Amino acid sequence: MRKEGIKRWILGFFMVIITYPIIETFIPVRLAGQVNRADLTSNLLPFNAETWFSGDFQSTFERYMNDNIGLFPLFIRIHNQIEYTLFGNTYTGNVVEGKEGYLYEQIYIDSYFGEDFKGLSVIEKNTAQLKELQDKLESKGQYLMFCLAAGKSTYFPEYLPYSQEKDSTNYEYYSKEFVKQGVNHINANPWFLKMKDSLGYLLYPQYGIHWSHYGAMLVTDSIVKYMEKGTGWDLPNMAITQLNYSPVARYYDNDIAHSLNLFYEVQPEPMIYPDFEWRGEKGDKPRKLLIIGDSFTWDIFENSRIGEECFHNVQFWFYNQTVHRDVKTEGSENNGLPTLTRHLDFYKIMQEYDAFLIVSNEPNLSSFGWGFAKDALSILEDPNYRPRERNNEYLRDQAKNKKEWREALTHQAKERDITLDSMINIYLHDPNYTP
C-alpha cells in the first residue's frame, strides 16, 4: 500500500510538471516571470475574418504560443544563464561579451574598425550640405549644431573581444571635415577620453551600450554652453550640486544587462547619479529646440529637464522618424503610438524653432543625420516639398506587433469603421493623418 501511495505521488508530480506549462499559457500565473523585450514579438491579433484571411492572425498566434507557453521565460533564463556564466555567450540581438565581462553591441565594434566606412567623397558632400543648412539658418537668426556622441568601442578599446587592423572610419573623417568646413559641433570622444583616467566606467558603464547618465548630463551642459557661445543667447545653465553613488544602476546605465534575461541582473560598480539644478532665467523670448537624434538622446531628452528649465519647448525626432514631446523619467520612454515626422508641417517647424541639434553615435554616421539636412534644405527652398518616406516595413511591423501601437490603431479603425490594415495604411501614408 505504501508503494502504491509513492507511485501516486510520483505520478501526480509528473502530471503537474507536464500540465503546468499548458495551465500557465491560458491562466496568467507567470511564476517564471517574463522575457524582456518580448512585447515587441508576442502580441496576439484579434481573431476575425480580416486577420484570418490575411494570414496575420496565424502568424501572430504562432509567435504568441512560442513566446508565451508556460515556463518559456524559465527555460530561456536557464539557457541564457548557463551560456553566459560558463561560456560568456549572450543571446540578445548583436550583443557580444568583451574582456573582463564588458558588453558591446557588434555594430559599434564594426564601426570602430571602419567596416561601415562610406568613403571620403560622401562624407565631404554630406558635411557641405550640413554647412549649407547651417549658414541658411544662421542668416535667419536660427542655429544648427551637431553632437558626435562618444562611442564605447572608442572609449574602451582595451576590452573589445578581439582586435583587427583598423581601417578608415566615418567618425574619423566626419570629425575632420566638421573642423575643416566650419560646422558647429561638439565631439564627445576626445573629451571623454581626457576624463577616462579619473572617471573610467562612470562615463561608460560596463554593461551599458550608451554613455552613462552622468556622462549624458555633462554632455547636456556642454551643448547648452556651446550654443550660448555660438548664438549670444543667455540660457539657463546646469549646475551639479551633489554626486550620489548608487550600487544599483539606474536610467539606461544597465540597458544591455537588463535585456540578457538572466536569473539575476549583473550590476556594474557603483555609478554616479548627480543632483543638479538649472540656474538663470529662460528670458522673455520663448526659445524652442528641435533635436534629431538616436538612442543616445533619450537620457538628455527625458532626464536633464532641458525642455522644462532651459528652453521653453523641446521636441525630439527619434531617428528623424517618430516625434516625442512627452517627457518620461528614470529611463522610461513613451511607448504609445507616436506621431511620425511625415505627419507634421515640416516647413512650419523650420520657421518656428530657434535651434536644431543633431545627435549621432558612431554607427549611425553611416546614415548621416537620417536625411534631415537634405530635407530641411529642400523644404526651405520649396514649402510644398515632402520628404521621402522611410522604413515603412519596420513601421508596419511595429504597428501590428507593438501592443500600444496596435491598440491605438485598432481603436482608430473602429471609430472610422475600417479595417486595421486600412488604418495602418492611413497612418503610414496619409499626409493629413490625425489621431
Side-chain angles (χ1 to χ4, degrees):
M1 191 69 182
R2 186 176 177 184
K3 288 183 179 180
E4 289 297 321
I6 294 174
K7 288 180 180 179
R8 290 194 186 97
W9 277 105
I10 293 174
L11 178 61
F13 174 76
F14 280 106
M15 286 296 293
V16 170
I17 295 297
I18 292 170
T19 57
Y20 176 76
I22 300 174
I23 294 171
E24 195 184 64
T25 299
F26 297 100
I27 300 175
V29 180
R30 295 289 180 260
L31 296 177
Q34 181 177 339
V35 177
N36 293 323
R37 297 186 178 178
D39 65 305
L40 298 182
T41 58
S42 60
N43 294 300
L44 185 62
L45 285 177
F47 175 75
N48 53 43
E50 177 198 351
T51 60
W52 176 262
F53 288 111
S54 68
D56 290 334
F57 175 81
Q58 294 91 322
S59 62
T60 59
F61 180 79
E62 180 180 356
R63 282 187 291 184
Y64 182 85
M65 291 301 293
N66 286 337
D67 289 350
N68 290 279
I69 191 168
L71 297 180
F72 173 77
L74 176 63
F75 298 141
I76 288 292
R77 293 182 193 280
I78 290 174
H79 171 267
N80 288 4
Q81 189 71 61
I82 291 173
E83 290 284 340
Y84 180 77
T85 303
L86 298 183
F87 308 108
N89 294 330
T90 59
Y91 290 87
T92 299
N94 293 316
V95 174
V96 293
E97 185 178 28
K99 298 172 184 175
E100 298 187 24
Y102 276 73
L103 298 179
Y104 297 82
E105 282 191 356
Q106 187 65 47
I107 57 170
Y108 292 84
I109 299 175
D110 293 343
S111 183
Y112 174 76
F113 286 121
E115 295 185 15
D116 60 350
F117 184 55
K118 304 299 287 187
L120 180 57
S121 61
V122 171
I123 290 172
E124 288 176 335
K125 178 183 177 182
N126 287 343
T127 305
Q129 195 172 62
L130 186 69
K131 181 63 165 63
E132 182 184 356
L133 176 60
Q134 175 183 305
D135 292 343
K136 283 194 174 183
L137 291 172
E138 187 176 338
S139 69
K140 294 155 49 92
Q142 297 165 293
Y143 192 74
L144 171 70
M145 67 175 290
F146 201 106
C147 175
L148 290 163
K152 189 171 186 177
S153 297
T154 300
Y155 187 75
F156 278 135
E158 64 270 30
Y159 297 124
L160 289 173
Y162 58 86
S163 62
Q164 66 183 53
E165 185 176 350
K166 191 173 180 181
D167 204 343
S168 300
T169 68
N170 294 320
Y171 162 73
E172 174 189 2
Y173 279 90
Y174 271 118
S175 58
K176 289 178 180 178
E177 281 300 312
F178 280 8
V179 174
K180 181 180 177 181
Q181 297 194 37
V183 169
N184 300 325
H185 74 285
I186 62 170
N187 185 351
N189 267 321
W191 178 40
F192 271 40
L193 288 171
K194 283 182 181 179
M195 297 187 287
K196 183 177 176 180
D197 287 342
S198 57
L199 293 177
Y201 64 85
L202 294 171
L203 292 180
Y204 244 113
Q206 183 177 4
Y207 307 120
I209 198 58
H210 302 98
W211 46 30
S212 68
H213 174 71
Y214 181 41
M217 297 307 101
L218 295 177
V219 170
T220 304
D221 177 57
S222 295
I223 288 170
V224 172
K225 288 177 178 175
Y226 187 94
M227 202 171 287
E228 277 187 312
K229 184 178 179 181
T231 61
W233 300 340
D234 184 16
L235 298 171
N237 294 124
M238 178 186 288
I240 293 177
T241 57
Q242 185 171 324
L243 298 179
N244 308 301
Y245 285 83
S246 171
V248 178
R250 295 168 53 193
Y251 302 97
Y252 296 93
D253 286 355
N254 226 29
D255 49 5
I256 304 183
H258 181 63
S259 67
L260 291 180
N261 289 307
L262 305 176
F263 280 107
Y264 62 91
E265 185 171 313
V266 291
Q267 292 285 341
E269 295 295 319
M271 300 292 295
I272 284 180
Y273 297 98
D275 293 334
F276 60 87
E277 58 188 37
W278 288 89
R279 294 174 180 171
E281 298 296 327
K282 287 192 286 188
D284 296 331
K285 180 173 173 53
R287 300 199 185 278
K288 302 170 72 174
L289 170 66
L290 173 62
I291 307 176
I292 304 93
D294 53 34
S295 55
F296 278 66
T297 314
W298 280 118
D299 211 352
I300 295 173
F301 174 68
E302 293 177 337
N303 301 312
S304 72
R305 306 197 300 274
I306 190 173
E308 304 166 59
E309 301 187 41
C310 183
F311 287 85
H312 287 76
N313 176 279
V314 171
Q315 194 170 122
F316 173 32
W317 290 6
F318 186 44
Y319 285 102
N320 193 26
Q321 184 162 268
T322 58
V323 180
H324 302 271
R325 306 181 184 92
D326 297 330
V327 174
K328 301 293 179 182
T329 58
E330 288 287 315
S332 172
E333 63 187 76
N334 186 347
N335 290 318
L337 180 71
T339 299
L340 303 180
T341 53
R342 65 186 71 171
H343 298 151
L344 301 179
D345 185 336
F346 194 6
Y347 182 77
K348 184 178 179 182
I349 291 286
M350 294 304 299
Q351 305 305 313
E352 286 185 351
Y353 278 75
D354 302 279
F356 302 86
L357 167 67
I358 301 174
V359 180
S360 177
N361 61 42
E362 293 174 358
N364 281 324
L365 289 174
S366 62
S367 304
F368 187 70
W370 309 280
F372 177 78
K374 174 183 178 296
D375 290 340
L377 283 171
S378 298
I379 201 73
L380 291 175
E381 293 175 2
D382 177 12
N384 295 316
Y385 169 82
R386 288 203 62 212
R388 178 179 63 88
E389 292 183 354
R390 299 178 300 111
N391 297 332
N392 280 328
E393 288 306 311
Y394 167 78
L395 291 171
R396 185 177 296 278
D397 184 66
Q398 292 286 94
K400 287 191 173 185
N401 294 313
K402 194 164 186 175
K403 183 179 179 182
E404 294 85 356
W405 291 34
R406 191 187 71 241
E407 287 179 348
L409 288 167
T410 299
H411 177 71
Q412 292 173 28
K414 288 180 179 178
E415 287 186 333
R416 302 182 189 209
D417 194 25
I418 59 177
T419 66
L420 176 60
D421 275 341
S422 296
M423 190 65 240
I424 292 174
N425 283 332
I426 292 173
Y427 176 65
L428 294 182
H429 307 303
D430 186 352
N432 300 314
Y433 166 83
T434 53

